[in-house]
Amino acid sequence: MKGNLNHNLTLCCWLAIAACASAPAPARAQTLLLKNATVHPVSGPALSPGDVLLENGKVRQIGHLNVPADRVVDLTGQHLYPGFLLLNTALGLSEIEEVRATLDAEEVGQFVPEVQSWVAVNPDSELLPVARANGIAFFEPAPEGSMIAGQSALMAMDGWTTEEMVFKKPAALHVYWPSMEISIAGRRGGRRGRAAGSAEEQIKERERRIKELADFFADARAYAQARDAAQTNGAADPGLNPPWEAMRPYLKGERPIMVHAEELRQIKSALQWAETNHYKIVIAGGRDAWKVAELLAKKNVPVIYDDIYSLPLSEAESYDIHFKAPELLRQAGVKVALSLQTTVFDAPFARNLPYVASQAVAYGLPAEEALKAMTLYPAQILGVEDRLGAIEPGKDATLFACTGDILDLRANVTHFWMAGREVSLDNRHTRLYEKYRNRPKPH
Amino acid sequence: MTPLRKILWIGLACLALHGAVRAEILPPGNRAIPLGVHALVGGKVVVKPGQVLESATVLIRDGLIEKVGPDVTAPADARIWDMKGLTIYAGFIDPYLTLGTNAPSRPATNRDSELRAGRFFGLPVAALDPGTPGPGAQLSTVTPEHRMAEGISPDAQALQSLRALGFTVGNVVPAGGIIRGTSVLIALSESNPNEAVIRPDVFQHVAFESMGRGEEPGSYPQSLMGVISAVRQSFFDARHYFLEHQSYEQAPQGRKRPPFNPASQALGPALRREMPVVFEPGSALMVDRAARVGRELGLNFYILASGQEWRRPDLAKGSGVPFIVPLNFPEISKMPEEDDWNAITLDQLRAWDWAPEDAAVLRAQNLEVALTTYELEDKSAFRRNLAYAIDRGLTENDALAALTTVPAKLCGVEKSLGTVEAGKMANLTVVSGKGYFDPEAKVMEVWIDGRFYRTETGETNAEAAAEEKPPEEKLGEQKPGEVKPPEAKTAEVKPPEAKAAEAKPARPNRAAAARELLKKRVAHAPLEGRGALTNPPALLLTNATIWTCGPAGRLEIASLLIEHGKIAEVGATVRHPAGALVEDATGKSITPGIIDPHSHSMILGDVNEGSLPSSAMVRIGDVVNSESANIYLQLAGGVTEAHLLHGSANPIGGQCCLIKLRDGAGPEDLKFEGAPPTIKFALGENVKQSNSRGGTRFPQTRMGVQAFYDNRFTAARQYLKAWDDFNKSARGGPVAPVPPARDLELEALGEILQGKRFIHCHSYRQDEILMFIRLMQSFSIQVAAMHHVLEGYKVADEMAAAGIGGSTFSDWWAYKFEVYDAIPYNGTLMHDRGVLVSFNSDSDDLARRLNFEAAKAVKYGGLSEIEALKFVTINPARQLRVEKRVGSLEPGKDGDIALWSKSPLDSTTVCLETWIEGKKYFDRSLDAARTAALEEERKALLAKARKALQAGGPNDRGGARARRQFFETALEHQDDFYNHDRDEGEFEP
């Protein structure tokens, strides 16, 4: 009986710990000094050993510091990085790909700019603490779809509610560029080739789709103009219309338009469209972006590159083309953020963001640029670089410590501070690990 | 034809027997039949390929050639035909003709697809009458009893268009299905079908056609490998059928009668080699498979060329049988923009550029070639395409043989057709000008069975048109029995060629320009630049960090010697044999080649035969894709071996295949010789169809999965016992015992029971893993490895105790409900409890960085680096039972290695070289040049294609089908790169 009681108590304690494990961080200490780490400010050269002083959720000082603090953490041998920003992900909007009830990433309709991803993020998704445990501090849940799929926000990996998690909303409008490919038959010998019509028909169809997209933006502009006129010179007010209203920040370039485009013709077509209309766009995906690196640089369009783990397009492309692509873009002067694919399948793999980056490093991208591609550059792309993306005095104290180089597969994250508060690294995986590694041998 | 007329014809045929010389007298109202004695005088007679009489007479009497020669004088009763300036060939024969009447005569089944496969291969739900309604095979796509000889009724216009190309005889083949039925050789004449038939049941036709027309997904077989298995099984069934019936006929008393099966019955002549089988393999690689299956079944067979034999001429040569070659070539569409042009792949362009050369490629392998109009949308493109084929090296003699003597021989009518010789059928093809192989020369007429047929030579000949009979005489409206009246001799005088040229001056020039352009091939052979890059007598790598993955552990600053393809020495100091290639590997790491124990790359066609709950009879080994670009891509990730698995759609999947990535080798030479056979099983959501719509097949629960296995292994035991009993049975009785029917499904399961074939089982949840372990133990089956096994960490002790390996993902999770408890610590936890653990890719892309997957075992759970690397080297080798050959760097093992820029577990390491059996297959330093050469070839081809389009020639005849064909992805390439065409859900992790 006693044993049983003990067992129950242990279980209760364990459950309590489990419940707390991924709970939002408790209130922060006033000042916290992180000592003797290799500090990667990202915005500047690494400092080793270096110290970082956090105060009221902000980084106050960085250097060799001998200052009093409410709490001091010795990080000898460890590395400090700013928390990563993962853009264009289904994280938060999906739990299990094959269980439809857990999916909130894709809405019906081709023109639904009023759809807002941040209201559908599950703060208790088991996927979030798993991603956080490898350095992801912020994520941008992106609606999927075709044409205009909706708007995203930048969310913190910390908070009791979606409202507490939202860092910036809206962050971007998501446009999925129509396919530009021409293919009029599938497999040789097979009977399953899709009947997509003749080449001529497909060419007409793609023109139609692009016009359709452009027309929607033109209509949105007309609406914005009418509403502006109603406010400024008393013209008749057309009245509030949610889809058109949702488009307004993007027409003026106040917020970026994420154009999801992989294929060369899509990217070129989107660039031309953006230039003609003076839209501020970001290419998301960008598989073939390296083919137009100069053009992207000239037009100052950043790329969120998510195709490192992709096969070449044909035998006439080198096997490592997508490993090299970020470096090819960087050398041309394009700002590149790295990400995994937006798909629901990739959401649970968010923790592998640093390894996507290390693959690019192996094939040429300088390591410091790889780090920027997960911190500073995504912050700049979403216009939050004043607070996020680097360890700098005045910026948010969102950073993590790691047993080694975060790009190294063998290293592990040991501490994570979100705006100065230490958050737990426990997650579904560590809990199951602890449970089953302690399974007694069966008789 | 009305019944009345048919009766009339039969009557006339009887009459003809009595008075051979006299023409039949038709009832009034019909046009009287002309006499049958003709002397064709003064033409150039091509007696057979290579034998030409410059001016000779061909004497025809009653449908046969009576005499041929320069000195033959026309007898008094002959009608004289002046053939000056004309060339007379033996009438052409198309051995693979479709005439729009080829559909199986019996209605297709519309039964519930789940029931359609019937009892075939142990489907537990059996319809009473599976397959097509009535007696027959249990698969509706297996209709060997279907005879084109019954119901053939060609359309007059179709016949006319073939005669216009010079064809006089065609072998009409059945279309649709896998084992399709028999073809019939007919004269392309305007006569009663009974008379037109020259030979019924010429060939039995077998096509590797997956998902036949009119078939819905869900019925067996739906994959290419399933088709091949169905072919094998059908012939085995037939063989057994005859044994059983023979035995029964000897002593029917007191025995149960064997079942009647017209499908098995119909395969008898093919099995006895009395009837050749024509395989339509559909792709260059399947040519090899068709030949191997044909030999395995002991058939006399020919092959319908895929048109892409140029991809692997060696495989075509290996078949050693005659080919029937269609002349349908892909044609390019005009692209609107530069980027659209640029999106055309090298392989598409190669297929376009090589197409006309295919026939010459086959001849160069010393194979017999017959030509056919098959697959040509517009048959009139045949002669133009033939000209292209000749431009590309097919000699005119070979071309002529391919139209006459070769098809005559293949169709078994060489005694009566194929040459212009006395005693043969009076079938002649008469051409003006320079002869048939000049596309401008006209086919003026053909003779079939001694009857004259004018061929409409087209729009150009105004003079001929003026002399044409009024429209009511058009051939299409002719009544059977009517024959066009012979023209007066003057009408046969052919206009000089100059006139034809004058009539349309622009076209020949354009066509000539196009032809000139197409003459020179720009595309390289796909095999060029493949194969081993270096093959030194010995390889010595020095000063490297060597991860032996064996007892020696990791050696710093050590050397490795490979000799004769095997590892000779590993250590601080090794021998330096003379002539060895020495590479200084200072600072670099050497590991055993990576072994991917779970791959779906390099597979031709579908990965799943998911139609039946057990597809143990299908073999990945039948459909290994040696042309896959993934071979090179994975070599570039240090991979040397890949275990190619069937998908996880059913509890009992197919037989798997372990290959070595010897790029450039054919499918058979990729196979890891001597590797113990394996088979894929699967548990959980996929097999119970949880995530697919409309699943109704047994099993639908994990309970059913166990019940199903229990059923099949019990059946397999019974099957083995039946064979055992047969082998032990007393011989010499009055009736020889009949062996049990060979069943390929139960045979494979029997091999598992006998310990000759090893199970690799897809699994996720701990309950199902345990169920499987216990059930297999009850059958005394030693399972090789549970795959994926993402909850293996929960039952690691039980797995270890059962000696079952775990081949898992490093960190996949949450893509389906049964993997919600998957954790990245799985590999380490299982390892710590004594399970033999490997990591696998299950992905064309992930296979390229399995070393990084191994590193994740260090990160999650703190496994040592040396043990972690074993997850992708020696451990998978042990799971596959090939650890004596590969997986570690120990003397005597295969020289399969990867050379890395730094530690293989460092996430910024790069694979520099990959060697298999002492030959280098990948070298990073050569990759840029390799890619540049391919891109240069693509650019050159693109330029040629655009020029060809401007010339207009190649794009004006083939029609939409030829243009569509250009975009079709060859089977060999369809699942590589971005899988645009891969069906969703084709295989799931």
Side-chain angles (χ1 to χ4, degrees), chain B residues 38 40 43-48 51-60 64-73 88 419-426 428:
Chain B
H38 304 277
L40 280 54
K44 171 176 167 183
V45 177
V46 183
V47 175
K48 60 173 98 164
Q51 188 183 335
V52 181
L53 305 171
E54 281 306 328
S55 175
T57 295
V58 180
L59 184 61
I60 296 171
L64 298 175
I65 298 170
E66 192 174 66
K67 284 180 190 165
V68 184
D71 309 322
V72 173
T73 40
I88 302 170
T419 60
V420 189
E421 288 174 310
K424 294 217 166 170
M425 266 173 67
L428 303 170

mmCIF file of all heavy atoms in Angstrom, chain B residues 38 40 43-48 51-60 64-73 88 419-426 428:
data_model
loop_
_atom_site.group_PDB
_atom_site.id
_atom_site.type_symbol
_atom_site.label_atom_id
_atom_site.label_comp_id
_atom_site.label_asym_id
_atom_site.label_seq_id
_atom_site.Cartn_x
_atom_site.Cartn_y
_atom_site.Cartn_z
ATOM 1 N N HIS B 38 -1.956 -12.180 -115.167
ATOM 2 C CA HIS B 38 -1.370 -10.867 -115.437
ATOM 3 C C HIS B 38 0.125 -11.013 -115.669
ATOM 4 O O HIS B 38 0.777 -11.764 -114.955
ATOM 5 C CB HIS B 38 -1.586 -9.927 -114.256
ATOM 6 C CG HIS B 38 -3.033 -9.780 -113.876
ATOM 7 N ND1 HIS B 38 -3.897 -8.909 -114.497
ATOM 8 C CD2 HIS B 38 -3.775 -10.421 -112.938
ATOM 9 C CE1 HIS B 38 -5.097 -8.994 -113.957
ATOM 10 N NE2 HIS B 38 -5.055 -9.922 -112.993
ATOM 11 N N LEU B 40 3.310 -8.580 -115.570
ATOM 12 C CA LEU B 40 3.830 -7.249 -115.262
ATOM 13 C C LEU B 40 5.190 -7.156 -115.931
ATOM 14 O O LEU B 40 6.147 -7.809 -115.505
ATOM 15 C CB LEU B 40 3.934 -7.068 -113.746
ATOM 16 C CG LEU B 40 2.639 -6.731 -112.995
ATOM 17 C CD1 LEU B 40 1.519 -7.713 -113.273
ATOM 18 C CD2 LEU B 40 2.896 -6.626 -111.506
ATOM 19 N N GLY B 43 9.358 -3.958 -115.490
ATOM 20 C CA GLY B 43 9.659 -3.225 -114.260
ATOM 21 C C GLY B 43 10.952 -3.692 -113.632
ATOM 22 O O GLY B 43 11.497 -4.746 -113.987
ATOM 23 N N LYS B 44 11.437 -2.849 -112.729
ATOM 24 C CA LYS B 44 12.599 -3.252 -111.944
ATOM 25 C C LYS B 44 12.053 -4.084 -110.787
ATOM 26 O O LYS B 44 11.220 -3.616 -110.014
ATOM 27 C CB LYS B 44 13.299 -1.993 -111.455
ATOM 28 C CG LYS B 44 14.403 -2.216 -110.452
ATOM 29 C CD LYS B 44 15.062 -0.852 -110.147
ATOM 30 C CE LYS B 44 15.943 -0.913 -108.944
ATOM 31 N NZ LYS B 44 16.502 0.423 -108.636
ATOM 32 N N VAL B 45 12.502 -5.326 -110.699
ATOM 33 C CA VAL B 45 11.929 -6.218 -109.698
ATOM 34 C C VAL B 45 12.940 -6.456 -108.576
ATOM 35 O O VAL B 45 14.048 -6.927 -108.818
ATOM 36 C CB VAL B 45 11.525 -7.566 -110.325
ATOM 37 C CG1 VAL B 45 10.985 -8.513 -109.254
ATOM 38 C CG2 VAL B 45 10.484 -7.335 -111.414
ATOM 39 N N VAL B 46 12.539 -6.060 -107.383
ATOM 40 C CA VAL B 46 13.379 -6.348 -106.216
ATOM 41 C C VAL B 46 12.871 -7.675 -105.654
ATOM 42 O O VAL B 46 11.873 -7.724 -104.948
ATOM 43 C CB VAL B 46 13.304 -5.229 -105.169
ATOM 44 C CG1 VAL B 46 14.234 -5.528 -104.005
ATOM 45 C CG2 VAL B 46 13.634 -3.893 -105.804
ATOM 46 N N VAL B 47 13.539 -8.722 -106.041
ATOM 47 C CA VAL B 47 13.075 -10.066 -105.691
ATOM 48 C C VAL B 47 13.059 -10.225 -104.173
ATOM 49 O O VAL B 47 12.106 -10.694 -103.585
ATOM 50 C CB VAL B 47 13.986 -11.130 -106.341
ATOM 51 C CG1 VAL B 47 13.582 -12.527 -105.883
ATOM 52 C CG2 VAL B 47 13.909 -10.998 -107.852
ATOM 53 N N LYS B 48 14.141 -9.804 -103.571
ATOM 54 C CA LYS B 48 14.243 -9.789 -102.114
ATOM 55 C C LYS B 48 15.339 -8.797 -101.770
ATOM 56 O O LYS B 48 16.062 -8.343 -102.679
ATOM 57 C CB LYS B 48 14.537 -11.194 -101.585
ATOM 58 C CG LYS B 48 15.833 -11.806 -102.096
ATOM 59 C CD LYS B 48 16.126 -13.116 -101.402
ATOM 60 C CE LYS B 48 15.675 -14.289 -102.237
ATOM 61 N NZ LYS B 48 16.233 -15.575 -101.832
ATOM 62 N N GLN B 51 18.582 -8.465 -103.934
ATOM 63 C CA GLN B 51 18.510 -9.163 -105.233
ATOM 64 C C GLN B 51 17.548 -8.418 -106.147
ATOM 65 O O GLN B 51 16.335 -8.438 -105.930
ATOM 66 C CB GLN B 51 18.063 -10.606 -105.027
ATOM 67 C CG GLN B 51 18.172 -11.413 -106.320
ATOM 68 C CD GLN B 51 17.659 -12.831 -106.127
ATOM 69 O OE1 GLN B 51 17.665 -13.350 -105.018
ATOM 70 N NE2 GLN B 51 17.207 -13.440 -107.203
ATOM 71 N N VAL B 52 18.137 -7.758 -107.168
ATOM 72 C CA VAL B 52 17.338 -6.885 -108.008
ATOM 73 C C VAL B 52 17.452 -7.336 -109.462
ATOM 74 O O VAL B 52 18.548 -7.639 -109.939
ATOM 75 C CB VAL B 52 17.829 -5.420 -107.889
ATOM 76 C CG1 VAL B 52 16.974 -4.493 -108.745
ATOM 77 C CG2 VAL B 52 17.816 -4.976 -106.428
ATOM 78 N N LEU B 53 16.327 -7.398 -110.151
ATOM 79 C CA LEU B 53 16.323 -7.622 -111.591
ATOM 80 C C LEU B 53 15.946 -6.294 -112.231
ATOM 81 O O LEU B 53 14.873 -5.760 -111.982
ATOM 82 C CB LEU B 53 15.302 -8.703 -111.968
ATOM 83 C CG LEU B 53 15.470 -10.047 -111.241
ATOM 84 C CD1 LEU B 53 14.277 -10.960 -111.537
ATOM 85 C CD2 LEU B 53 16.772 -10.711 -111.653
ATOM 86 N N GLU B 54 16.863 -5.759 -113.042
ATOM 87 C CA GLU B 54 16.649 -4.400 -113.538
ATOM 88 C C GLU B 54 15.425 -4.286 -114.429
ATOM 89 O O GLU B 54 14.681 -3.327 -114.376
ATOM 90 C CB GLU B 54 17.885 -3.888 -114.269
ATOM 91 C CG GLU B 54 19.004 -3.407 -113.338
ATOM 92 C CD GLU B 54 18.557 -2.363 -112.334
ATOM 93 O OE1 GLU B 54 17.641 -1.553 -112.634
ATOM 94 O OE2 GLU B 54 19.103 -2.351 -111.203
ATOM 95 N N SER B 55 15.209 -5.293 -115.262
ATOM 96 C CA SER B 55 14.009 -5.275 -116.085
ATOM 97 C C SER B 55 13.515 -6.702 -116.219
ATOM 98 O O SER B 55 14.176 -7.539 -116.810
ATOM 99 C CB SER B 55 14.326 -4.667 -117.464
ATOM 100 O OG SER B 55 13.180 -4.755 -118.279
ATOM 101 N N ALA B 56 12.394 -6.964 -115.636
ATOM 102 C CA ALA B 56 11.928 -8.356 -115.603
ATOM 103 C C ALA B 56 10.410 -8.392 -115.694
ATOM 104 O O ALA B 56 9.733 -7.372 -115.637
ATOM 105 C CB ALA B 56 12.389 -9.034 -114.317
ATOM 106 N N THR B 57 9.938 -9.599 -115.862
ATOM 107 C CA THR B 57 8.494 -9.807 -115.942
ATOM 108 C C THR B 57 8.058 -10.646 -114.755
ATOM 109 O O THR B 57 8.727 -11.603 -114.369
ATOM 110 C CB THR B 57 8.140 -10.524 -117.255
ATOM 111 O OG1 THR B 57 8.472 -9.653 -118.331
ATOM 112 C CG2 THR B 57 6.650 -10.860 -117.302
ATOM 113 N N VAL B 58 6.934 -10.226 -114.189
ATOM 114 C CA VAL B 58 6.334 -11.016 -113.112
ATOM 115 C C VAL B 58 5.022 -11.554 -113.656
ATOM 116 O O VAL B 58 4.156 -10.790 -114.087
ATOM 117 C CB VAL B 58 6.067 -10.156 -111.864
ATOM 118 C CG1 VAL B 58 5.436 -11.015 -110.762
ATOM 119 C CG2 VAL B 58 7.352 -9.488 -111.381
ATOM 120 N N LEU B 59 4.930 -12.857 -113.668
ATOM 121 C CA LEU B 59 3.720 -13.482 -114.195
ATOM 122 C C LEU B 59 2.861 -13.969 -113.035
ATOM 123 O O LEU B 59 3.315 -14.722 -112.168
ATOM 124 C CB LEU B 59 4.108 -14.657 -115.108
ATOM 125 C CG LEU B 59 2.940 -15.353 -115.803
ATOM 126 C CD1 LEU B 59 2.171 -14.379 -116.715
ATOM 127 C CD2 LEU B 59 3.456 -16.544 -116.610
ATOM 128 N N ILE B 60 1.616 -13.470 -113.034
ATOM 129 C CA ILE B 60 0.697 -13.809 -111.948
ATOM 130 C C ILE B 60 -0.403 -14.689 -112.508
ATOM 131 O O ILE B 60 -0.975 -14.392 -113.557
ATOM 132 C CB ILE B 60 0.075 -12.527 -111.372
ATOM 133 C CG1 ILE B 60 1.149 -11.641 -110.726
ATOM 134 C CG2 ILE B 60 -1.021 -12.861 -110.341
ATOM 135 C CD1 ILE B 60 0.654 -10.270 -110.322
ATOM 136 N N LEU B 64 -1.317 -16.224 -107.473
ATOM 137 C CA LEU B 64 0.046 -16.607 -107.116
ATOM 138 C C LEU B 64 1.020 -16.113 -108.166
ATOM 139 O O LEU B 64 0.645 -15.858 -109.312
ATOM 140 C CB LEU B 64 0.136 -18.139 -107.015
ATOM 141 C CG LEU B 64 -0.743 -18.781 -105.948
ATOM 142 C CD1 LEU B 64 -0.645 -20.295 -106.045
ATOM 143 C CD2 LEU B 64 -0.361 -18.302 -104.555
ATOM 144 N N ILE B 65 2.267 -15.997 -107.755
ATOM 145 C CA ILE B 65 3.300 -15.655 -108.733
ATOM 146 C C ILE B 65 3.698 -16.939 -109.441
ATOM 147 O O ILE B 65 4.081 -17.924 -108.795
ATOM 148 C CB ILE B 65 4.515 -15.019 -108.017
ATOM 149 C CG1 ILE B 65 4.094 -13.717 -107.327
ATOM 150 C CG2 ILE B 65 5.652 -14.769 -109.004
ATOM 151 C CD1 ILE B 65 5.134 -13.135 -106.405
ATOM 152 N N GLU B 66 3.581 -16.923 -110.742
ATOM 153 C CA GLU B 66 3.902 -18.138 -111.481
ATOM 154 C C GLU B 66 5.361 -18.148 -111.896
ATOM 155 O O GLU B 66 6.048 -19.145 -111.748
ATOM 156 C CB GLU B 66 3.005 -18.267 -112.719
ATOM 157 C CG GLU B 66 3.078 -19.644 -113.368
ATOM 158 C CD GLU B 66 2.064 -19.783 -114.502
ATOM 159 O OE1 GLU B 66 2.216 -19.070 -115.521
ATOM 160 O OE2 GLU B 66 1.113 -20.560 -114.336
ATOM 161 N N LYS B 67 5.795 -16.997 -112.382
ATOM 162 C CA LYS B 67 7.193 -16.906 -112.828
ATOM 163 C C LYS B 67 7.688 -15.493 -112.594
ATOM 164 O O LYS B 67 6.927 -14.538 -112.688
ATOM 165 C CB LYS B 67 7.302 -17.201 -114.336
ATOM 166 C CG LYS B 67 7.195 -18.663 -114.711
ATOM 167 C CD LYS B 67 7.323 -18.786 -116.235
ATOM 168 C CE LYS B 67 6.977 -20.211 -116.661
ATOM 169 N NZ LYS B 67 6.747 -20.278 -118.133
ATOM 170 N N VAL B 68 8.999 -15.406 -112.404
ATOM 171 C CA VAL B 68 9.636 -14.093 -112.314
ATOM 172 C C VAL B 68 10.966 -14.187 -113.051
ATOM 173 O O VAL B 68 11.705 -15.142 -112.853
ATOM 174 C CB VAL B 68 9.946 -13.705 -110.842
ATOM 175 C CG1 VAL B 68 10.525 -12.292 -110.792
ATOM 176 C CG2 VAL B 68 8.708 -13.818 -109.989
ATOM 177 N N GLY B 69 11.265 -13.233 -113.872
ATOM 178 C CA GLY B 69 12.578 -13.254 -114.493
ATOM 179 C C GLY B 69 12.674 -12.310 -115.658
ATOM 180 O O GLY B 69 11.658 -11.828 -116.167
ATOM 181 N N PRO B 70 13.900 -12.057 -116.083
ATOM 182 C CA PRO B 70 14.083 -11.139 -117.217
ATOM 183 C C PRO B 70 13.625 -11.781 -118.527
ATOM 184 O O PRO B 70 13.271 -11.073 -119.458
ATOM 185 C CB PRO B 70 15.589 -10.873 -117.222
ATOM 186 C CG PRO B 70 16.215 -11.930 -116.373
ATOM 187 C CD PRO B 70 15.164 -12.491 -115.486
ATOM 188 N N ASP B 71 13.617 -13.101 -118.586
ATOM 189 C CA ASP B 71 13.325 -13.760 -119.870
ATOM 190 C C ASP B 71 11.926 -14.358 -119.924
ATOM 191 O O ASP B 71 11.603 -15.088 -120.846
ATOM 192 C CB ASP B 71 14.358 -14.869 -120.113
ATOM 193 C CG ASP B 71 15.767 -14.336 -119.949
ATOM 194 O OD1 ASP B 71 15.998 -13.173 -120.360
ATOM 195 O OD2 ASP B 71 16.616 -15.046 -119.366
ATOM 196 N N VAL B 72 11.133 -14.063 -118.938
ATOM 197 C CA VAL B 72 9.786 -14.636 -118.920
ATOM 198 C C VAL B 72 8.951 -13.973 -120.013
ATOM 199 O O VAL B 72 8.912 -12.744 -120.094
ATOM 200 C CB VAL B 72 9.119 -14.430 -117.548
ATOM 201 C CG1 VAL B 72 7.665 -14.883 -117.596
ATOM 202 C CG2 VAL B 72 9.895 -15.170 -116.472
ATOM 203 N N THR B 73 8.360 -14.795 -120.830
ATOM 204 C CA THR B 73 7.468 -14.218 -121.837
ATOM 205 C C THR B 73 6.032 -14.363 -121.362
ATOM 206 O O THR B 73 5.653 -15.361 -120.762
ATOM 207 C CB THR B 73 7.617 -14.921 -123.205
ATOM 208 O OG1 THR B 73 7.749 -16.304 -122.962
ATOM 209 C CG2 THR B 73 8.817 -14.400 -123.957
ATOM 210 N N ILE B 88 9.156 -2.909 -108.526
ATOM 211 C CA ILE B 88 8.205 -3.877 -107.946
ATOM 212 C C ILE B 88 8.859 -4.578 -106.757
ATOM 213 O O ILE B 88 9.928 -5.181 -106.888
ATOM 214 C CB ILE B 88 7.785 -4.924 -109.003
ATOM 215 C CG1 ILE B 88 7.150 -4.208 -110.199
ATOM 216 C CG2 ILE B 88 6.843 -5.955 -108.398
ATOM 217 C CD1 ILE B 88 6.915 -5.104 -111.398
ATOM 218 N N THR B 419 8.816 -12.273 -100.575
ATOM 219 C CA THR B 419 9.712 -12.092 -101.721
ATOM 220 C C THR B 419 8.897 -12.180 -103.006
ATOM 221 O O THR B 419 7.751 -12.633 -103.002
ATOM 222 C CB THR B 419 10.809 -13.185 -101.773
ATOM 223 O OG1 THR B 419 10.173 -14.462 -101.892
ATOM 224 C CG2 THR B 419 11.664 -13.168 -100.511
ATOM 225 N N VAL B 420 9.521 -11.736 -104.096
ATOM 226 C CA VAL B 420 8.868 -11.850 -105.413
ATOM 227 C C VAL B 420 9.423 -13.100 -106.070
ATOM 228 O O VAL B 420 10.398 -13.054 -106.818
ATOM 229 C CB VAL B 420 9.141 -10.591 -106.268
ATOM 230 C CG1 VAL B 420 8.277 -10.622 -107.536
ATOM 231 C CG2 VAL B 420 8.862 -9.320 -105.474
ATOM 232 N N GLU B 421 8.856 -14.229 -105.716
ATOM 233 C CA GLU B 421 9.371 -15.498 -106.231
ATOM 234 C C GLU B 421 8.207 -16.390 -106.632
ATOM 235 O O GLU B 421 7.114 -16.284 -106.056
ATOM 236 C CB GLU B 421 10.209 -16.201 -105.164
ATOM 237 C CG GLU B 421 11.555 -15.513 -104.930
ATOM 238 C CD GLU B 421 12.325 -16.119 -103.756
ATOM 239 O OE1 GLU B 421 11.751 -16.287 -102.665
ATOM 240 O OE2 GLU B 421 13.508 -16.414 -103.942
ATOM 241 N N ALA B 422 8.478 -17.252 -107.587
ATOM 242 C CA ALA B 422 7.435 -18.146 -108.078
ATOM 243 C C ALA B 422 6.870 -18.969 -106.923
ATOM 244 O O ALA B 422 7.594 -19.408 -106.034
ATOM 245 C CB ALA B 422 8.004 -19.062 -109.160
ATOM 246 N N GLY B 423 5.565 -19.119 -106.949
ATOM 247 C CA GLY B 423 4.906 -19.934 -105.939
ATOM 248 C C GLY B 423 4.393 -19.146 -104.768
ATOM 249 O O GLY B 423 3.628 -19.643 -103.959
ATOM 250 N N LYS B 424 4.825 -17.901 -104.653
ATOM 251 C CA LYS B 424 4.372 -17.089 -103.528
ATOM 252 C C LYS B 424 3.068 -16.383 -103.875
ATOM 253 O O LYS B 424 2.691 -16.284 -105.040
ATOM 254 C CB LYS B 424 5.457 -16.077 -103.152
ATOM 255 C CG LYS B 424 6.696 -16.777 -102.605
ATOM 256 C CD LYS B 424 7.348 -16.024 -101.478
ATOM 257 C CE LYS B 424 8.345 -16.926 -100.763
ATOM 258 N NZ LYS B 424 9.181 -16.209 -99.821
ATOM 259 N N MET B 425 2.422 -15.899 -102.843
ATOM 260 C CA MET B 425 1.225 -15.093 -103.041
ATOM 261 C C MET B 425 1.597 -13.895 -103.908
ATOM 262 O O MET B 425 2.653 -13.297 -103.712
ATOM 263 C CB MET B 425 0.715 -14.569 -101.699
ATOM 264 C CG MET B 425 -0.337 -15.433 -101.053
ATOM 265 S SD MET B 425 -0.724 -14.823 -99.373
ATOM 266 C CE MET B 425 -1.489 -13.261 -99.742
ATOM 267 N N ALA B 426 0.714 -13.583 -104.839
ATOM 268 C CA ALA B 426 1.001 -12.455 -105.723
ATOM 269 C C ALA B 426 0.689 -11.154 -104.995
ATOM 270 O O ALA B 426 -0.310 -10.494 -105.255
ATOM 271 C CB ALA B 426 0.206 -12.578 -107.009
ATOM 272 N N LEU B 428 2.321 -7.592 -104.287
ATOM 273 C CA LEU B 428 3.393 -6.741 -104.798
ATOM 274 C C LEU B 428 3.128 -5.294 -104.421
ATOM 275 O O LEU B 428 1.982 -4.877 -104.277
ATOM 276 C CB LEU B 428 3.459 -6.850 -106.323
ATOM 277 C CG LEU B 428 3.649 -8.261 -106.904
ATOM 278 C CD1 LEU B 428 3.454 -8.228 -108.416
ATOM 279 C CD2 LEU B 428 5.015 -8.816 -106.535
#
